[in-house]
Amino acid sequence: MRNKTAKIVLIILSGLVLYSCSITKRVPEGKRLLMKNEIQVNGEKKTEDELKDQLYQQPNTNILGYRLRLNLYNMAKQNADSSYRAWLERKPGRHEHLRRLLSEKQVQRLGKSFLVSGLSSFLKRVGEPPVVVDPYRVRKSANRLSAYYYKKGFFRNKVGYSIDTLEGKKAQVTYNIITGRPYIIDTLTAFIETPALDSLYNLSKTESMVKPGKQYNETDFAGERERLTTYFRNRGAYRFQQNFIRYIIDTVTSPYKANVDLVIDNETIRRGDSTTVRPFKLYKISSVNIHIKNPSAEGQPIDTVRYKGFNLISPGRLNYRPKAITDAVFLSPGSPFADFRRTLTLRYVNNLKVFFYPSIQFVEDTTDVSGSSLITNIYLNPRKKYRFNVTADFTHSNIQDFGIQGSLGLSIRNIFRGAEILDLSTRGNIGSSRDLAIQDKSFFNVSEYGADAKLSFPRIFFPFKTDRIISKEMIPSSLLSLGVSRQRNIGLDKENFTGILSYNWSPRRNSRVTARYDLFNIQYIRNVNAGAFFRVYESSYNRLNDIARANQAQVNPAYFDQDNNLTIGDGGTDGFIADVQSGNITLNEEDKKNVNSIEERRQRLTENNLIFSSNFTYTTSTRQNLTDNTFFIFKTKLETAGNTLGLLSSLTNNNNRSASGNLTFLDVEYSQYAKVELDLIKHFDLRRGTVLAMRAFGGIAIPYGNSNSIPFARSYFAGGSNDNRAWQSYRLGPGRTGGRNDFNEANLKLAYSAELRFNLFGKMNGAIFGDLGNIWNVLDEVDDPNFTFNGFSSFKDLALGTGFGLRYDFSFFVVRFDVGFKTYNPGRPENDRWLKEYNFSNAVLNVGINYPF
């Protein structure tokens, strides 16, 4: 054992020595590789990214300390062409021999081939040359650090630096900063020539970002310029721009104090060669003209419709109801000019999805003698009324090994002249599955097809007015959706009927906060092939079969086939279960409990489900755009099901009940439950292409009233490419059971994932991740402690999966490959859970599109 340990240590040390030498391979003589930048501020070490960004030279990128891109660059031949020519001439006759064998032209082409020079070019392209310490850039970095602190009010700061040489052609640069005392704003005096702007400023000066007693910071001055510009423009100052604001800073009269003058001169008007000065005007909107292009009526007389003060102008007949257009316009006649209303109008009109992005122009109204009125011209260019959509794609899932899916759709815009959109679509999927439960052995042996109809309204579709609750500033919309689908050789061959009426709006002016309320979300699931339960759920069959064979002396021989296995159906599995439950077969308590559990699961998964629910979802996000790597998204969802049908049953004295004693609607038991979900995603930008992404999720669904369990379609599962990636979908949990069923689900879920993403080269990115979580049963019909959540003690049942992944960024989507390893498996014995399956033979490969969160 000691010899093995010594060998391992020797190998590691040798590798470190070789690695240390290799990274300086391309560093010229007399130069040194930059290993580290250290910043000392007033004697204290600082590591903030904002400070590091001031430096002109950064060390080569690394992944957990390993400089991958530098090593790739070092592997390349620096002059592959000359090396090839030298190789040709090194041995007498080699060049001549190759010329006779290949021809001179091919010999030259060989020198440009991938193996000779192309590989080196590739390594240079994806690699990174060594960052060599440059004294000139170090000096520039010091000056930049000084400017950085100067902008923060440290006007008398001093910055020094030292280049410390290290062994093996390496160096470290240390920057020493003495900030000195900061300057504090002593007074703030406003000189605003336009009386109207001066009055507005005095009303809002308590909100100023520049205040006496606050440390001088140029960021505050820039923010205050932006705040005042927005403030003035939202209160009528149409011509006001940010560059009209200037500051005069006096730091002479008082030590370490700054006296600030805010100066806003009158507006400068240039007409030709002449320039005049006048006070800024606060404009109002005198009229609003909405020009709607009608390509099919070009050349026809102009049709002008006046509606609630708006002028709607269109060649030929106006194809829209006026209210549908004017509801999207917030710049109303008689109102003051406000920039936020222009932005809101652009957003609302674009959200209608029946026009291309609109254009809004303002011109001064010459009929107003005061010169303070604006005419608003809005130009709308309609999209095509009909749009056909055909899609095709290849798929892979835990159900099918290979699949082809496609859809055919038709969109009809402005179908009722109120900017409504009707979407009609059909979809289908055929696939290949090697599932042993599928008796059809042809290649394409599974299929699914369906049809959907969706009608969207750019308003709240409700019989009563809702403007006081959800105003049009929240950009409300409604969606009515109907769908039907059918499966073949997938599970129990379900038929699925859905109907949804949902409302969407933004509670605030920005689109980063959204709300959705499903007034009703109806789903009816019919199991067409319920008799195939034991062929589909093999683990349940195997457990039942083992119990029957262990007690074969009591079991009717007709229940078994020639291989001594229970037959599936009335004369086998069903008969055995019936005999056990009636007492005709006597089993021990454990086996009897297992048979009853299997039968309960079969009844639950084969019963038809009617889910009549309502839910509310609230989402807030700080994400600016797709390239934003510092943001969070928080989503919460509340859902209840069955209350409406329960109320109808009470009002109509409906006492229709199923064989199990539960109330029915149209002869189907309806589900009743309450569900709560919380979902938080947070991204941290660690700079230079490195991002730390985290996600936390918690959800619980509690059955009550007419239900003692949650429908399979609304329950939780664990595992898969977007969950705990060390387990396949439905293979984790519940609790510490070890995923004994084929499709494991429960009604409580906790999950947490963290992922460090980094760039390898070009568009190829890497990641290392950890996924923690599990599912449990709670407050339902399951009472087995292995399945249920039992307080804090159940946290030891949280499964941990770790792994690594590769991602290739195609700009418009990302292809993802992740390999997950079972690091802590709660399905194993309690003292045998850590790292027992941490190997490639038990690893799970996940293929996905885009990031998991």
Side-chain angles (χ1 to χ4, degrees), residues 136-271:
Y136 173 72
R137 292 188 176 185
V138 172
R139 188 163 55 253
K140 284 184 63 177
S141 297
N143 293 336
R144 194 169 180 179
L145 285 169
S146 178
Y148 171 83
Y149 278 97
Y150 186 93
K151 293 176 182 179
K152 289 185 174 294
F154 298 96
F155 296 156
R156 301 182 183 183
N157 72 79
K158 296 179 181 179
V159 180
Y161 62 86
S162 62
I163 302 175
D164 304 315
T165 59
L166 306 174
E167 292 183 2
K169 298 167 66 174
K170 300 172 188 174
Q172 172 182 312
V173 179
T174 302
Y175 297 91
N176 293 291
I177 304 168
I178 305 299
T179 61
R181 286 175 56 188
Y183 275 70
I184 306 299
I185 296 175
D186 189 34
T187 62
L188 173 63
T189 307
F191 297 93
I192 304 175
E193 292 191 28
T194 301
L197 295 188
D198 187 49
S199 298
L200 287 174
Y201 173 79
N202 287 324
L203 291 174
S204 72
K205 64 182 180 180
T206 56
E207 301 174 12
S208 175
M209 299 175 69
V210 180
K211 296 180 179 179
K214 193 175 182 182
Q215 182 175 326
Y216 179 96
N217 193 327
E218 284 194 12
T219 302
D220 292 337
F221 287 86
E224 179 65 5
R225 281 193 181 94
E226 185 175 345
R227 186 192 74 84
L228 284 177
T229 302
T230 302
Y231 180 76
F232 291 151
R233 286 183 60 83
N234 283 337
R235 286 157 181 78
Y238 166 65
R239 294 189 176 278
F240 192 85
Q241 299 295 330
Q242 198 172 126
N243 59 342
F244 289 116
I245 303 173
R246 57 191 177 94
Y247 291 96
I248 299 174
I249 314 295
D250 176 19
T251 60
V252 177
T253 54
S254 301
Y256 296 103
K257 291 184 179 180
N259 298 308
V260 179
D261 292 341
L262 166 67
V263 180
I264 302 177
D265 296 323
N266 281 332
E267 180 184 10
T268 301
I269 305 295
R270 292 182 177 83
R271 292 188 176 90

Side-chain angles (χ1 to χ4, degrees), residues 418-656:
E420 305 90 354
I421 301 176
L422 175 63
D423 290 307
L424 303 172
S425 64
T426 59
R427 50 191 164 82
N429 173 80
I430 57 173
S432 173
S433 177
R434 291 174 292 180
D435 196 317
L436 296 177
I438 300 176
Q439 298 179 351
D440 184 356
K441 300 305 177 184
S442 59
F443 184 76
F444 289 111
N445 57 355
V446 297
S447 65
E448 184 175 3
Y449 53 88
D452 299 282
K454 298 178 182 179
L455 181 61
S456 60
F457 304 85
R459 54 191 174 276
I460 297 296
F461 180 69
F462 200 72
F464 309 108
K465 287 187 176 182
T466 59
D467 293 348
R468 292 186 178 181
I469 302 173
I470 303 175
S471 64
K472 75 172 189 175
E473 284 81 3
M474 297 181 181
I475 313 184
S477 64
S478 305
L479 178 66
L480 179 62
S481 173
L482 299 172
V484 59
S485 64
R486 171 73 186 271
Q487 297 175 344
R488 184 180 71 87
N489 284 343
I490 300 177
L492 302 179
D493 295 350
K494 298 180 185 297
E495 289 181 341
N496 201 333
F497 304 89
T498 59
I500 301 173
L501 176 58
S502 67
Y503 305 114
N504 297 271
W505 68 94
S506 296
R508 301 177 189 171
R509 286 178 184 172
N510 62 65
S511 59
R512 296 177 197 145
V513 178
T514 59
R516 170 174 171 158
Y517 176 60
D518 286 3
L519 180 61
F520 63 78
N521 187 318
I522 304 171
Q523 185 177 21
Y524 173 59
I525 303 169
R526 176 173 174 264
N527 293 297
V528 179
N529 193 13
F533 175 83
F534 284 114
R535 283 194 294 271
V536 174
Y537 296 90
E538 291 182 9
S539 62
S540 295
Y541 171 78
N542 291 334
R543 286 157 53 203
L544 187 69
N545 190 42
D546 290 342
I547 295 172
R549 293 171 68 175
N551 297 273
Q552 193 165 356
Q554 302 183 64
V555 182
N556 187 338
Y559 293 168
F560 295 96
D561 61 17
Q562 60 185 6
D563 296 322
N564 203 33
N565 292 316
L566 282 175
T567 59
I568 295 176
D570 293 338
T573 53
D574 296 0
F576 174 68
I577 292 173
D579 287 347
V580 171
Q581 293 185 331
S582 65
N584 293 332
I585 297 177
T586 303
L587 303 178
N588 62 52
E589 286 302 318
E590 183 66 23
D591 285 346
K592 185 176 180 180
K593 182 179 179 181
N594 281 330
V595 171
N596 289 331
S597 175
I598 291 170
E599 177 60 9
E600 288 175 2
R601 178 174 169 81
R602 182 171 76 102
Q603 291 295 332
R604 188 166 79 85
L605 297 186
T606 59
E607 67 183 0
N608 298 331
N609 295 127
L610 176 60
I611 306 170
F612 196 116
S613 68
S614 299
N615 64 70
F616 175 75
T617 304
Y618 184 89
T619 305
T620 180
S621 172
T622 62
R623 190 168 195 174
Q624 303 281 345
N625 50 55
L626 292 176
T627 60
D628 186 2
N629 288 325
T630 302
F631 66 91
F632 78 86
I633 300 173
F634 176 72
K635 181 168 71 173
T636 182
K637 181 178 181 180
L638 306 174
E639 180 178 351
T640 60
N643 294 338
T644 302
L645 295 181
L647 179 62
L648 287 175
S649 295
S650 299
L651 295 176
T652 60
N653 295 318
N654 173 28
N655 289 315
N656 296 327

Side-chain angles (χ1 to χ4, degrees), residues 358-417:
S359 172
I360 301 179
Q361 298 178 4
F362 300 93
V363 295
E364 288 194 16
D365 188 349
T366 56
T367 62
D368 182 2
V369 294
S370 68
S372 58
S373 294
L374 294 173
I375 297 174
T376 304
N377 291 310
I378 303 174
Y379 299 91
L380 304 180
N381 186 10
R383 298 176 184 268
K384 291 183 178 179
K385 186 176 182 65
Y386 300 98
R387 180 175 68 92
F388 291 93
N389 184 33
V390 180
T391 65
D393 198 5
F394 298 103
T395 60
H396 168 79
S397 70
N398 60 315
I399 296 176
Q400 58 186 12
D401 305 302
F402 172 77
I404 302 174
Q405 68 178 18
S407 66
L408 177 64
L410 170 65
S411 295
I412 307 175
R413 296 187 176 94
N414 194 40
I415 186 169
F416 302 125
R417 299 184 63 242

